[in-house]
Amino acid sequence: MFFALYLTVLAIQKGSAQTSNEVETASTKHVLMIFSEARDLPGNVLMEQGVKQELLAGSTDNVEFFTESLDTSRFPNPEYFQIFGDYIRNKYSGQKLDLVMMFMARNLALARAMNTALATNIPSVYVELNDLDDSLSSTGRPYTGIFQWPDIRGTLKFIFRLQPETRRVVVMGGVSANDQKTLGQIADVARTVDGIKFEFWTNQPVDELCRTAHKLSAGTVIMLAAWQRDAAGQPFNTIEVAQLLAPRAGVPIYVLGEGSIGTGALGGSVVNFDALGEEAGKLALSALNGKPVSQIPIEVRTNGTPMVDWRVLEKWHIKQSRLPVGCEIRYQPQSLWEEHKKLIVFVGAGLLAQAITIVALLIQRRRHRRVQAQVERQRTELAHVSRVSTMGQLASALTHELNQPLGAILRNAEAAELFLQSTPPNFEEVRAILTDIRRDDKRAGNVIDRMRSLYQRRSLVLGPLDLSDLVTDTVALTQTDAAARHVKVNAELPQQLPSAHGDRVHLQQVLLNLILNGMDAMTAVPKARRVLTIRVSETKNGNLRVAVIDHGTGIAPEDAVRVFEPFFTTKMNGMGMGLAISQTIIEAHGGDIWVESKGTDGTTFTFILPPTGRPRVKDGDLPENI
C-alpha cells in the first residue's frame, strides 16, 4: 500500500532535481505538508496552524505552503494510493520543494518507505503519532521529527484523581490495524494497574455502543481509544465517536487527543496538537535555515497535557479542586473582568479622566465664582466711585437746588414771625406760610433722597422699573447744571410704556453719566444748538430703548470704537471709567449699549433693556455695525 506513495515521493525528488536550474525566486521557500488523515480534523488543523505560525514568524524568507491529505481512514485500499501517487507526481513534477512535512497518525511504515528516497535530496520533518520503531536508521538520515505516544498511563492517573471511586474502565476502540495497535498499548498499561477492572468493547458498532453506554453505572468511566472503523466496517474517527457517545453515556468519557475536547468528553492527559505543531515548526525552521536534518535531534514524547472541558466537569459535579496543577481548562466562562478586560480598563480610564475633569472643572468653577465675586465687588466699588465723582460734578447745581427751598423756608419763617407779632396776629397768613414751608421742605428732602441713593454702595437689585419716572427724576437732578451751561434738556416719553427689569440706582447712574457727557460735548457749540434730547421708546421686539442725543462736536471714528474701554477718555480731566462702568451695568441687566456719532452733528448714546417678565429678544434691536 505504501510502495506507490514511495514511488510518488521519488518522482517528486526527480522532478525537483530536473527543475533546479530553472528561474526561481531566491527569497521564497516551498514547503509541502502531507496529512495521512483528513486535513480538516481538529488535530490536523491545530498542527498546521502551529507549523505555519512558527515558520512565518521566524523565517527571513517568504514561505509558500502546499497541503495534501490522504484520508487513509476512509480510503485504505491500494488502488487509492496509486491514484493519489499519480496525482502528486503530476502536480509537483515541476515544482522545487525545499521541505516535506509528513503528519502520519500511526503510520510509521510510510516514513520507513520514504527514507531512502528522501535521503539524498529533500529534507523531511515527520510528526508521527502512536508509533516508534527502534530499527529505524539514525545515521545519515535525511529526516528529523517528533514521535508522540499517547499518554495512556497519565490519562489513567488523571481519571483516578478526578474520580477516585472508579473501579471499572470501559475501553472503546475501532477494529482497524491502527486502532488495534492503540488498544494493545492500553491493554499493556492496564495489566500494571491493580484493583481496576478493564473491559475492551470493540465488537459492537458505534450505534450499539451508544445504547449500551447509557446503562453504565456509577464507579465506571469510558476511555476512548483510536477509531478508524467500527465493528460494522463503517469509517469513524475518535471525534465523531465522542460526539455521538457523550449525549447518551451514563458516565464520563476520557480521551487521549486534544481534538476530542469540546465534543462532550470530560478530558484526559491528551496529545496537545497545538504545541506539537509549534514544535514541529521549530524543527522545520531549522531545516529551512540550512541546518542538516541529520543533525537535528529526533524528539520522542510520551507525556500528554492534562486538559478538561469545564462544562462536562460541571455536568458530572466533579470538584475543580481535584484537577492537577497545570491542568488546562477549556470552555470555562470568563469573568466579566477576564472577558472584557480591555474594555473595562478603557472605560475605567475614561471615567477616571472624566472624574478628574469634573473635579478640575468644579475647582475652576469655584475659583471663577470667587474671582467673579471679587470682580463684582470691585465693579460695585468703581460704580460707587463713579457716582460720587458724578455727584461732585453736580455739587454746585445741587447746592443751588437746595438753596432755593431752604431760602424760601427762611423767608417764610421770617414773614410768619412778623404776622404773629401783629395785633391781632394774622393766623390766615401764618397758615398759608406754613403750607409753603411744608412744600419747600419736601422739595429739599427729595433732593437729599436722590443724592443719598446715588451715594449708596450697593449691588444690583433688579425689579420692575418705570423708565419715565427714572428719566424725569434724573433730569430733575441736572436741571440747575443744565441751566448754568445754557443747555436745554428735552425728555420724549411715551404715554404708555412697559416697565423695565432693572436696578433704579444703577440705571440712574448710567443715564446721569450720559447726560453729563452730552452737556460736556456741547460746551464749545453755540448756545442755540445746546439741546439734549432723552428719547424713550419701545422696539418692535418689545424691548425698551433709551437714547441720549446731543448736538456737540461728536466723536472721531477711531475714538468711537474705544469709548467703552476702561481708562480711555477724550476729556482733559476725565477718569475714563464712566462709560466702561455704564457698559458693565447695562450688560448686567441683559442689555446692550452703543454709540453712534455723526461727527460735528452730534452723538447718540443708546442702550437697550429687557421688559419685566421675559428675556430680551435681540434680533433687530442693534444697528448693523454692532
Side-chain angles (χ1 to χ4, degrees):
M1 177 174 67
F2 299 111
F3 183 71
L5 191 57
Y6 166 81
L7 294 178
T8 299
V9 176
L10 183 62
I12 294 174
Q13 173 197 352
K14 293 180 179 179
S16 299
Q18 292 173 356
T19 59
S20 60
N21 295 327
E22 296 180 2
V23 178
E24 182 69 31
T25 303
S27 61
T28 301
K29 301 292 186 180
H30 301 87
V31 178
L32 174 61
M33 305 173 70
I34 300 177
F35 294 88
S36 64
E37 299 298 336
R39 179 188 174 188
D40 59 354
L41 289 177
N44 288 340
V45 172
L46 292 172
M47 285 192 291
E48 181 180 357
Q49 289 176 348
V51 169
K52 289 184 176 181
Q53 181 178 351
E54 288 294 326
L55 291 182
L56 293 175
S59 178
T60 57
D61 301 315
N62 295 326
V63 181
E64 185 176 358
F65 297 93
F66 305 99
T67 308
E68 305 290 345
S69 61
L70 283 75
D71 201 4
T72 56
S73 296
R74 298 182 182 276
F75 305 99
N77 53 312
E79 292 79 6
Y80 166 71
F81 287 104
Q82 180 64 47
I83 296 172
F84 185 82
D86 293 341
Y87 162 74
I88 292 291
R89 182 171 54 255
N90 292 330
K91 183 174 182 179
Y92 295 99
S93 62
Q95 178 66 56
K96 178 182 178 299
L97 297 176
D98 298 285
L99 182 69
V100 173
M101 300 190 72
M102 299 285 289
F103 300 86
M104 297 292 139
R106 303 173 298 278
N107 227 343
L108 186 58
L110 178 59
R112 187 184 298 112
M114 295 176 61
N115 185 43
T116 303
L118 298 176
T120 58
N121 195 3
I122 306 176
S124 302
V125 174
Y126 299 99
V127 180
E128 297 288 344
L129 303 178
N130 199 31
D131 209 350
L132 183 62
D133 191 336
D134 293 337
S135 66
L136 233 135
S137 172
S138 61
T139 59
R141 53 178 168 77
Y143 67 88
T144 188
I146 301 175
F147 292 84
Q148 175 72 60
W149 282 45
D151 189 7
I152 299 169
R153 192 175 300 276
T155 297
L156 288 174
K157 290 181 179 179
F158 191 76
I159 292 172
F160 302 144
R161 182 184 181 95
L162 266 62
Q163 296 182 262
E165 71 280 3
T166 300
R167 293 294 177 266
R168 179 188 181 199
V169 178
V170 175
V171 182
M172 299 181 180
V175 298
S176 72
N178 289 326
D179 297 340
Q180 293 299 313
K181 186 181 297 184
T182 303
L183 289 169
Q185 293 173 344
I186 295 175
D188 291 340
V189 176
R191 283 190 287 270
T192 66
V193 180
D194 297 329
I196 303 297
K197 181 181 180 181
F198 285 84
E199 298 179 11
F200 290 83
W201 293 7
T202 59
N203 58 351
Q204 301 179 47
V206 171
D207 290 343
E208 183 64 27
L209 286 175
C210 291
R211 287 191 292 270
T212 307
H214 180 68
K215 302 176 182 179
L216 294 175
S217 59
T220 304
V221 298
I222 297 173
M223 176 185 283
L224 283 187
W227 284 85
Q228 287 186 339
R229 290 191 177 275
D230 69 351
Q234 296 298 318
F236 282 98
N237 59 58
T238 308
I239 296 172
E240 292 172 336
V241 175
Q243 288 174 332
L244 293 172
L245 193 61
R248 306 180 187 179
V251 295
I253 300 172
Y254 291 85
V255 291
L256 301 174
E258 176 188 8
S260 298
I261 303 296
T263 61
L266 177 58
S269 183
V270 300
V271 176
N272 192 328
F273 293 108
D274 195 4
L276 197 62
E278 291 180 4
E279 194 60 33
K282 294 178 182 178
L283 298 181
L285 184 61
S286 297
L288 286 181
N289 287 339
K291 187 174 183 178
V293 291
S294 60
Q295 298 179 15
I296 302 176
I298 293 176
E299 297 185 23
V300 179
R301 296 186 170 201
T302 58
N303 294 331
T305 301
M307 192 177 297
V308 294
D309 186 328
W310 180 87
R311 300 168 300 182
V312 185
L313 201 68
E314 292 293 310
K315 172 185 175 181
W316 296 109
H317 307 291
I318 299 175
K319 296 180 179 179
Q320 195 166 331
S321 59
R322 294 181 180 179
L323 297 177
V325 177
C327 181
E328 186 174 335
I329 304 175
R330 295 282 180 90
Y331 307 106
Q332 182 176 12
Q334 292 182 327
S335 65
L336 184 63
W337 167 256
E338 292 172 333
E339 188 174 2
H340 303 289
K341 181 178 180 180
K342 292 183 178 179
L343 179 61
I344 292 174
V345 170
F346 177 77
V347 173
L351 291 176
L352 179 61
Q354 188 177 30
I356 293 173
T357 303
I358 291 173
V359 171
L361 289 174
L362 289 174
I363 294 174
Q364 185 178 4
R365 181 184 179 187
R366 181 176 297 179
R367 290 177 179 174
H368 177 71
R369 285 184 172 180
R370 289 176 182 174
V371 172
Q372 190 175 21
Q374 185 177 2
V375 169
E376 178 66 20
R377 287 194 298 270
Q378 293 175 351
R379 186 191 66 79
T380 302
E381 293 292 338
L382 286 173
H384 177 250
V385 171
S386 178
R387 289 196 294 273
V388 172
S389 175
T390 302
M391 294 307 298
Q393 299 178 43
L394 292 174
S396 60
L398 291 172
T399 301
H400 178 73
E401 188 171 357
L402 284 173
N403 280 335
Q404 287 183 345
L406 291 177
I409 291 172
L410 178 60
R411 289 190 296 271
N412 281 324
E414 292 174 348
E417 271 186 343
L418 294 176
F419 283 118
L420 289 174
Q421 291 174 1
S422 62
T423 303
N426 192 341
F427 291 109
E428 291 297 327
E429 289 294 338
V430 172
R431 187 177 293 109
I433 289 172
L434 290 176
T435 301
D436 292 340
I437 290 174
R438 185 183 298 109
R439 183 182 63 251
D440 291 332
D441 180 80
K442 288 183 178 180
R443 177 182 172 191
N446 289 335
V447 173
I448 293 172
D449 287 341
R450 288 195 296 268
M451 291 175 62
R452 183 185 297 114
S453 64
L454 284 173
Y455 270 113
Q456 287 177 345
R457 181 185 292 108
R458 52 176 286 178
S459 301
L460 287 175
V461 180
L462 301 177
L465 180 66
D466 190 328
L467 279 183
S468 297
D469 290 344
L470 176 72
V471 172
T472 301
D473 290 345
T474 307
V475 170
L477 280 174
T478 61
Q479 281 182 347
T480 304
D481 192 34
R485 300 187 189 202
H486 304 285
V487 175
K488 182 180 180 182
V489 180
N490 294 329
E492 299 180 1
L493 306 174
Q495 293 182 352
Q496 293 182 348
L497 192 67
S499 62
H501 186 65
D503 182 287
R504 182 180 184 86
V505 173
H506 284 81
L507 291 177
Q508 193 171 22
Q509 176 185 349
V510 173
L511 185 58
L512 187 59
N513 185 64
L514 297 179
I515 292 173
L516 293 178
N517 285 346
M519 291 182 180
D520 290 340
M522 293 187 290
T523 302
V525 301
K527 296 179 181 179
R529 294 186 55 195
R530 297 180 189 176
V531 178
L532 184 73
T533 302
I534 304 169
R535 182 176 298 143
V536 181
S537 60
E538 183 179 2
T539 69
K540 62 182 180 180
N541 291 320
N543 299 316
L544 301 173
R545 177 165 49 205
V546 179
V548 179
I549 307 165
D550 67 59
H551 294 82
T553 55
I555 303 175
E558 62 273 13
D559 293 336
V561 297
R562 300 184 59 195
V563 292
F564 295 105
E565 294 180 8
F567 305 109
F568 177 81
T569 181
T570 58
K571 300 178 183 179
M572 291 295 295
N573 300 319
M575 294 173 57
M577 291 301 299
L579 289 176
I581 293 174
S582 297
Q583 184 183 48
T584 302
I585 292 173
I586 295 301
E587 290 179 349
H589 282 74
D592 282 296
I593 184 171
W594 67 91
V595 61
E596 297 174 279
S597 180
K598 301 178 181 178
T600 57
D601 291 335
T603 303
T604 300
F605 281 88
T606 306
F607 61 86
I608 293 286
L609 295 173
T612 301
R614 67 173 177 82
R616 176 188 155 214
V617 180
K618 293 187 177 182
D619 296 342
D621 285 347
L622 302 180
E624 294 181 357
N625 60 343
I626 297 299

